[in-house]
Amino acid sequence: MSALLVTSGCTAKGEPRREAAASEPAQPEKSEAPVPGGLGWVMSSGSVQLEVLPQFEVLDRRSNTLDVHLLLRLRGMGEVVGERPPLDLAVVLDRSGSMAGEKLLAVKQATLDLLKELKPHDRLTLIAYDSEVEVLTEGLVADEAGLQTARKAVLAITDRGGTALGPALFRGFEAFDPQTRKEDELRHLLLLSDGQANEGEKDPLVLGQRARENFGRGVSVSTLGVGLDYNEELMTRLADQGGGRYHFIQGTDAISRVLSDEFAGLVATVASGIEVTMQMAPGVQVRQVYGYSWQETPQGASILVGSLAAQQVREIVVKLQVNFGTGATGQLALGTVDLRAKDQTQRGRAVEGKLALSAPTSADAEELRRSERTEVTVRVAEVESAAQMQAAALAVDGGDYDKAREVLKDSVHALEQQQKATPSPKLAKQLEELKAAESGLDAARQSAEQAKIYGKQSKAKAYKLAK
């Protein structure tokens, strides 16, 4: 396979890039012609580099169908320099009765610390919700007077009522006025909850779809689940569909740290609104995308990635199924991968690029063996074992501890075999996690609270590993 290196610093004619006039609509910046290189496929579009690595560089033609794993590695290029982009931030806080005491106090303190990081060019929306939704500030300019107003609003929050999470989320989205959006502005919604949505819209599918729609409008969503009683399916779905991050916070002492980490990653963003679209050739289908929100399309799949901070790396494993045509030999076209993003180092300029994927085929066992890229094999083993850890946690949720133990035993055995074949510190660490999950089943059986702790911790570990 030949590599494709695509850069976006020039126009298709190789002329220096010019800035669009203020009156001109922003146009996507396209990559120049591919340049051959080594193995795999590589493309750079603005502040995003996309590398597509096959698990095997030569496809096995000894059967009619073949599962093909690809590793999509995205990296935020460059460093954050100068003034960061303006931030339009909505913080949606749970003030229901279950938040009373230390949890609400910790959330208020963390929010006050967050206010210290805002700049005069930022805007802030604060929403508190219980059975009702209260907008404390909306689109507030984060200058000295605005921050004083926000501080007073945060300090006045008290606990009460139920959990109208859905209506509060919808109201948060409404605060992002499309008429006032600037191309270089980051728009982010941060949702915190410690309980089950029990007022208004509660369906995770509906709420997740609304997050996806707003991602398409330039708004990302991150979620923070506090304690043991919130719905992690809902919180992870919102973060995945919204192109953000999900955080499990078991103790109140971690709330401030997690909020600080979330904000630090946000302000270091070099690319936002990243979406990868795969258009498959005839006979090739996308079967699975691990760890990221994706939708099947008539020709392939659309994958929401979200944002990238400077030098941050995201690794996405995609499983394809290839149905070989009768008598077909030689180079096989797999399809194309399209990348779209906003380059925050270039004032939110739209960038895009395309890679055409093809691979040689062979029936020679030795040639196939030599073509393996073990770094991809290791990553595939990681995400597959993460899926098994998630499955075991779901079995515990249902009270089926025997099934959970069986799933984990099988996963440990498979990973041990893989570790022998392709020794890796990553696999060794994952083996420790799986064995710890297996040994933790006995404690989970002891009480409903221990079972909740086990489920939340295991799912959070599996979620992070898949990212």
Side-chain angles (χ1 to χ4, degrees):
M1 288 180 198
S2 63
L4 301 181
L5 173 62
V6 186
T7 61
S8 58
C10 299
T11 65
K13 294 182 179 180
E15 300 170 350
R17 183 177 59 216
R18 66 182 179 87
E19 295 296 329
S23 60
E24 294 181 51
Q27 296 296 322
E29 179 183 305
K30 297 187 177 181
S31 56
E32 63 183 14
V35 180
L39 296 175
W41 304 275
V42 182
M43 161 177 65
S44 294
S45 286
S47 54
V48 184
Q49 182 188 77
L50 171 62
E51 187 178 11
V52 182
L53 301 174
Q55 186 178 7
F56 290 87
E57 293 163 359
V58 179
L59 302 186
D60 186 351
R61 287 201 51 84
R62 291 176 295 180
S63 60
N64 291 329
T65 62
L66 176 69
D67 286 340
V68 175
H69 288 99
L70 299 179
L71 176 64
L72 278 57
R73 179 181 289 151
L74 295 109
R75 185 187 302 274
M77 303 300 290
E79 302 289 342
V80 176
V81 294
E83 187 73 9
R84 65 166 172 80
L87 173 64
D88 191 354
L89 178 66
V91 181
V92 183
L93 301 175
D94 187 346
R95 64 183 296 171
S96 61
S98 59
M99 287 289 294
E102 289 186 5
K103 281 192 282 189
L104 187 58
L105 177 61
V107 167
K108 291 167 68 172
Q109 290 174 341
T111 304
L112 291 176
D113 288 338
L114 187 64
L115 297 181
K116 298 176 184 178
E117 304 299 326
L118 298 179
K119 304 294 183 183
H121 61 250
D122 298 329
R123 288 181 291 171
L124 175 67
T125 296
L126 283 173
I127 294 175
Y129 67 96
D130 46 274
S131 297
E132 300 178 350
V133 177
E134 182 179 5
V135 179
L136 305 177
T137 70
E138 183 167 7
L140 185 72
V141 176
D143 55 15
E144 184 175 351
L147 291 177
Q148 284 299 321
T149 299
R151 282 180 55 84
K152 291 178 181 178
V154 171
L155 290 171
I157 295 174
T158 57
D159 61 278
R160 65 188 193 195
T163 308
L165 185 152
L169 177 70
F170 295 162
R171 185 61 183 87
F173 286 140
E174 291 173 5
F176 298 102
D177 184 356
Q179 301 300 320
T180 62
R181 183 186 179 190
K182 302 174 183 177
E183 286 297 324
D184 63 339
E185 185 177 64
L186 291 174
R187 294 190 151 190
H188 190 65
L189 186 148
L190 190 59
L191 172 70
L192 182 144
S193 180
D194 78 328
Q196 303 283 329
N198 54 28
E199 303 278 351
E201 182 59 67
K202 300 181 282 291
D203 188 341
L205 294 177
V206 174
L207 297 174
Q209 182 58 34
R210 187 66 68 87
R212 188 180 184 95
E213 291 169 0
N214 279 273
F215 177 84
R217 301 184 183 111
V219 179
S220 57
V221 179
S222 287
T223 58
L224 290 79
V226 181
L228 301 175
D229 296 319
Y230 67 90
N231 182 346
E232 70 270 1
E233 178 195 353
L234 171 59
M235 300 295 264
T236 55
R237 182 179 294 274
L238 289 174
D240 285 345
Q241 299 277 53
R245 296 194 296 171
Y246 156 71
H247 307 270
F248 163 48
I249 306 174
Q250 184 175 345
T252 56
D253 56 341
I255 291 176
S256 182
R257 174 184 56 77
V258 171
L259 264 180
S260 178
D261 289 347
E262 171 71 17
F263 190 81
L266 188 64
V267 300
T269 299
V270 294
S272 63
I274 304 170
E275 187 166 4
V276 175
T277 303
M278 305 185 74
Q279 301 285 336
M280 299 291 92
V284 183
Q285 294 179 297
V286 177
R287 288 301 191 189
Q288 180 65 41
V289 178
Y290 291 88
Y292 286 80
S293 174
W294 68 288
Q295 289 186 345
E296 190 174 359
T297 66
Q299 290 79 36
S302 173
I303 307 169
L304 294 187
V305 180
S307 62
L308 279 169
Q311 298 305 312
Q312 181 185 3
V313 176
R314 291 181 182 265
E315 292 189 331
I316 308 171
V317 173
V318 178
K319 182 165 77 171
L320 309 178
Q321 185 181 81
V322 176
N323 297 295
F324 293 106
T326 304
T329 59
Q331 197 82 2
L332 180 71
L334 297 176
T336 61
V337 177
D338 292 83
L339 171 71
R340 292 179 179 274
K342 295 285 187 180
D343 187 346
Q344 297 301 146
T345 68
Q346 296 293 325
R347 304 188 65 181
R349 177 181 290 274
V351 293
E352 61 182 37
K354 181 190 291 286
L355 288 176
L357 312 182
S358 65
T361 64
S362 175
D364 185 302
E366 181 60 22
E367 182 180 12
L368 295 168
R369 186 189 64 80
R370 290 198 308 268
S371 75
E372 181 182 14
R373 298 188 70 111
T374 54
E375 64 177 306
V376 181
T377 299
V378 167
R379 182 59 181 155
V380 170
E382 280 188 304
V383 297
E384 287 182 339
S385 66
Q388 294 299 91
M389 184 181 290
Q390 172 83 3
L394 291 173
V396 168
D397 287 347
D400 194 342
Y401 290 89
D402 291 338
K403 180 180 178 181
R405 192 176 298 279
E406 180 182 354
V407 167
L408 290 172
K409 279 185 176 295
D410 289 345
S411 187
V412 166
H413 177 72
L415 211 58
E416 285 176 338
Q417 296 301 112
Q418 189 62 62
Q419 175 72 332
K420 290 178 181 178
T422 55
S424 162
K426 289 184 177 181
L427 293 186
K429 182 178 180 180
Q430 180 61 5
L431 265 173
E432 291 178 4
E433 295 282 8
L434 287 172
K435 290 177 179 178
E438 185 182 355
S439 64
L441 287 172
D442 290 334
R445 283 180 182 266
Q446 301 305 311
S447 68
E449 183 179 6
Q450 288 299 319
K452 285 182 179 180
I453 293 173
Y454 180 92
K456 289 287 194 294
Q457 288 180 339
S458 294
K459 292 172 189 175
K461 288 177 181 177
Y463 181 88
K464 290 184 177 180
L465 185 66
K467 299 295 184 184

